[in-house]
Amino acid sequence: MADNVTSLFRSTAAHSPSMAALARESDGAGPVDFCIPCNPYFPTPAMFEDMATRLRDIITYYPSSADTITAELCSLLRLPPQCVAMGNGSTELITWIDHLLVRESLAVPVPTFGRWTDQPMETGKRVDMFPLQESSGFALDLAQYAEFIRARGTKVAVICNPNNPDGGFLHKHAVVQFMDAMADLDLVVIDESFLEFADAEVEPSVVQEAMLRPNVIVLRSLGKNFGLHGIRFGYLVANPALAGRVRSMLPKWNLNSFAEHVVFMLKEHGTEYQQSLHQVRRDRMDMSGQLSSLPGLTVYPSQGNFLFVRLPVGAEGTVVRDRMLTEHRLLVRECGNKIGSSSRFLRLVVRPQVDVRRLVSGLEQVLYGTSRRGAAVPEQATGTGYSSGTAAIDRLVSETNGAGTQGLAAQAIGAGTGAPGLPAAPAAGIGMPLPSAPSPVPVGAGGGMPMPAAASSGPQQMPQQAPQPLRSPPLQPPPVPQQMPQQPVPQQMPQQPVPQQMPQHPLAAPAQVPAPPAMPAAASYPSPQMPTGPTPPGVPARGGLTAAQVRGTDGLSQAPAAGWSGAQSWPEAAGVGQLS
């Protein structure tokens, strides 16, 4: 296998090679998988045995229609079938969302799941990428993201919660507030593919709220949660019009017989599923602690079933990946091909403790030289084993405090585009958009998330607070050819949810749904003044610093753990009520 490892990874530039491909290159048995993020405790051995005994019938005959399988899933999760569309994996649903509902542009924080950037670019859409800052632990500040969307004039916004690959988590009240602030966009997508593994909130999903809004889709995975990536099934939830539009385009038999068999057997195994999620959460804490003990390795807080880690200075991710596979039969995800990341980062799937001990031992040998091939991390100041690409990334991050190529942005600004405050468009093929010169933008009371322009004319309801200036980074960026005006950045508005009664929707689930926190009045979120005319395609976006970075905090505090309520019942899509 050693001679073919590099070619295997190069032939799948957007993803790691499949387990089947790796098995074909070895003795028939694949490596221990720390790459594919699925649940290692579900299905149970008894469920696999049941599927094995029925294998002949499952693969011989046609499945039922997608409507039949969807109706069974909705009965399990207590969701109205009119609001659900099931797909052959989340990728199929992302593809149809792009074709049907994305007109010209889509905004997404990066790094993230690659299909949210690649799919719309493949169909000629403009993708506005909001860079998550390493200096703030890759935390997404929704107020800054909303301002970014307004400045770009983006039509569709995407949030992954938890985010892949870093596992960053957003609390439900903040996501609902963002959805309402973006009510005038064509579409808002909340990708909750990994939300079942989160324990920061008891009821973290916004599924119920999405069904009551005209432009929101929530995407959910089944393969990841159930440990069955090979079956390819997932679903989206939206209001009946949106869900029906996607559902009408899907083939009648887009779901296979394995998917049907699993969906119909789930109602008998809710308790085992709950237990598997609890075990993954416990393993995540244990694995994070063990990896954090390795010198120079940074582990970021995660609410997914994976951990995002930064390798010690000098370690090249592709070298570590290849040696872990060839010397230790361990498959890890190197993230150098993810936009917004680099080869210094790995995503490691949460696995049982016995596998984690093997992972830690392998990393110790590869990183620190306790194997016959020596260390992947060089001695201090020797520079050996350190690729020029990795060195360039480290210099850039160090000199700009994670803010990116400001020197290039300054050159673009100097060239001019004729549009005030906007740099020249980069050549086609350039990756992440560069921050441009900030232009003065009036900030309203509280500095909260911008609301649609039509809703911003009412009386202000929040006390006025003086905006805080940007905090200078520790190291100064390269000199720019002209004086850059300093952009005031508003303070984040304190969130104080006030309970209120939500109107009952005719398609809402029959279970009693607790009322979500009240949203501040629309008038309390003034829209920033936009430059005249649309943003030209390819023009870099303004800003990019997160609020945590501006305030000087590290953004790494971890949310308190909490468990599911009703451990003996099947968890619903929205995490509310119980299935008797």
Side-chain angles (χ1 to χ4, degrees):
M1 176 187 283
D3 296 335
N4 297 326
V5 165
T6 301
S7 61
L8 278 174
F9 283 94
R10 283 181 178 173
S11 64
T12 56
H15 206 276
S16 298
S18 69
M19 192 61 66
L22 291 170
R24 286 193 293 268
E25 293 294 334
S26 63
D27 56 5
V32 177
D33 178 25
F34 283 92
C35 176
I36 309 301
C38 64
N39 186 342
Y41 300 109
F42 196 84
T44 64
M47 294 174 68
F48 276 117
E49 185 177 347
D50 176 78
M51 285 187 278
T53 60
R54 301 175 188 233
L55 178 62
R56 183 182 182 89
D57 289 342
I58 290 174
I59 65 176
T60 298
Y61 300 107
Y62 280 113
S64 300
S65 68
D67 290 342
T68 300
I69 303 173
T70 301
E72 176 65 16
L73 180 71
C74 290
S75 174
L76 187 70
L77 301 178
R78 291 188 178 177
L79 291 171
Q82 305 96 314
C83 296
V84 175
M86 285 192 72
N88 190 250
S90 60
T91 301
E92 180 181 56
L93 297 173
I94 291 172
T95 301
W96 281 112
I97 288 171
D98 172 53
H99 281 292
L100 297 173
L101 304 173
V102 181
R103 289 189 296 160
E104 60 182 58
S105 56
L106 178 145
V108 61
V110 292
T112 194
F113 178 48
R115 292 314 300 167
W116 284 120
T117 55
D118 300 347
Q119 172 62 42
M121 285 195 290
E122 289 167 6
T123 54
K125 317 292 172 49
R126 190 187 82 220
V127 180
D128 297 331
M129 304 180 207
F130 179 73
L132 301 176
Q133 304 298 318
E134 182 187 350
S135 56
S136 59
F138 296 96
L140 172 60
D141 186 287
L142 287 176
Q144 293 290 326
Y145 184 39
E147 183 181 347
F148 171 88
I149 291 167
R150 295 299 184 201
R152 292 290 282 160
T154 317
K155 302 298 184 182
V156 175
V158 176
I159 292 175
C160 294
N161 189 36
N163 190 43
N164 173 14
D166 58 278
F169 176 77
L170 299 165
H171 285 274
K172 179 177 179 177
H173 69 86
V175 178
V176 172
Q177 185 179 11
F178 178 84
M179 287 159 46
D180 287 342
M182 299 290 107
D184 61 329
L185 297 190
D186 289 352
L187 185 68
V188 177
V189 181
I190 312 298
D191 188 340
E192 295 183 347
S193 291
F194 295 96
L195 195 63
E196 298 288 346
F197 300 105
D199 60 4
E201 282 186 287
V202 177
E203 299 172 5
S205 177
V206 295
V207 162
Q208 294 289 341
E209 288 75 13
M211 290 189 294
L212 305 177
R213 286 163 173 78
N215 71 328
V216 178
I217 285 178
V218 173
L219 195 67
R220 306 276 293 185
S221 174
L222 294 174
K224 301 173 181 66
N225 306 337
F226 298 152
L228 294 169
H229 277 284
I231 289 183
R232 309 302 303 137
F233 58 162
Y235 65 99
L236 64 78
V237 183
N239 72 73
L242 272 180
R245 188 173 178 187
V246 175
R247 192 170 53 247
S248 67
M249 301 302 296
L250 298 172
K252 192 172 185 64
W253 283 284
N254 69 318
L255 302 176
N256 59 61
S257 295
F258 268 114
E260 177 179 14
H261 185 76
V262 170
V263 168
F264 273 83
M265 72 187 301
L266 285 175
K267 58 179 171 247
E268 306 296 333
H269 299 279
T271 299
E272 294 96 322
Y273 178 60
Q274 287 276 25
Q275 292 170 347
S276 74
L277 297 178
H278 282 298
Q279 187 60 52
V280 169
R281 295 162 188 158
R282 288 192 292 266
D283 287 347
R284 180 175 63 209
M285 295 182 61
D286 176 77
M287 182 173 169
S288 178
Q290 291 197 50
L291 290 173
S292 297
S293 67
L294 295 177
L297 197 75
T298 302
V299 182
Y300 296 91
S302 172
Q303 284 285 293
N305 63 328
F306 47 81
L307 296 172
F308 197 48
V309 303
R310 176 173 173 142
L311 294 170
V313 173
E316 171 63 54
T318 55
V319 174
V320 174
R321 176 200 66 197
D322 292 353
R323 288 185 57 183
M324 291 291 286
L325 182 59
T326 57
E327 298 175 20
H328 302 280
R329 309 264 324 148
L330 300 170
L331 178 63
V332 300
R333 177 65 159 96
E334 177 265 325
C335 295
N337 61 358
K338 279 188 172 288
I339 298 174
S341 180
S342 77
S343 189
R344 288 287 304 284
F345 295 91
L346 303 179
R347 187 195 65 195
L348 302 173
V349 171
V350 173
R351 290 193 61 85
Q353 293 187 22
V354 61
D355 294 337
V356 174
R357 286 193 291 269
R358 182 173 169 183
L359 172 71
V360 171
S361 175
L363 286 172
E364 286 176 335
Q365 294 180 49
V366 169
L367 292 175
Y368 312 115
T370 56
S371 68
R372 58 183 176 82
R373 291 187 58 185
V377 179
E379 293 295 328
Q380 187 73 20
T382 65
T384 58
Y386 194 15
S387 79
S388 58
T390 303
I393 290 290
D394 283 344
R395 283 198 305 273
L396 183 62
V397 170
S398 173
E399 293 173 0
T400 66
N401 192 29
T405 50
Q406 296 185 5
L408 293 178
Q411 294 174 17
I413 295 168
T417 64
L422 292 174
I430 293 180
M432 189 187 311
L434 308 175
S436 68
S439 57
V441 177
V443 178
M449 197 174 304
M451 284 295 288
S456 62
S457 60
Q460 299 294 324
Q461 298 185 4
M462 298 300 299
Q464 293 285 344
Q465 297 179 7
Q468 299 296 317
L470 275 173
R471 186 185 301 274
S472 300
L475 296 177
Q476 296 298 324
V480 297
Q482 67 180 32
Q483 184 66 30
M484 301 282 288
Q486 192 170 21
Q487 169 65 30
V489 175
Q491 294 179 339
Q492 189 175 17
M493 186 179 64
Q495 297 165 344
Q496 298 180 353
V498 179
Q500 70 175 17
Q501 292 296 325
M502 294 292 292
Q504 184 66 28
H505 192 274
L507 293 176
Q512 292 296 322
V513 181
M519 295 299 303
S524 65
Y525 290 97
S527 295
Q529 293 181 358
M530 297 290 299
T532 58
T535 303
V539 172
R542 177 175 58 83
L545 294 178
T546 65
Q549 189 173 358
V550 171
R551 292 194 301 269
T553 63
D554 59 10
L556 298 178
S557 57
Q558 193 165 11
W564 282 86
S565 59
Q568 300 304 313
S569 63
W570 183 262
E572 297 178 38
V576 295
Q578 299 181 10
L579 184 63
S580 56

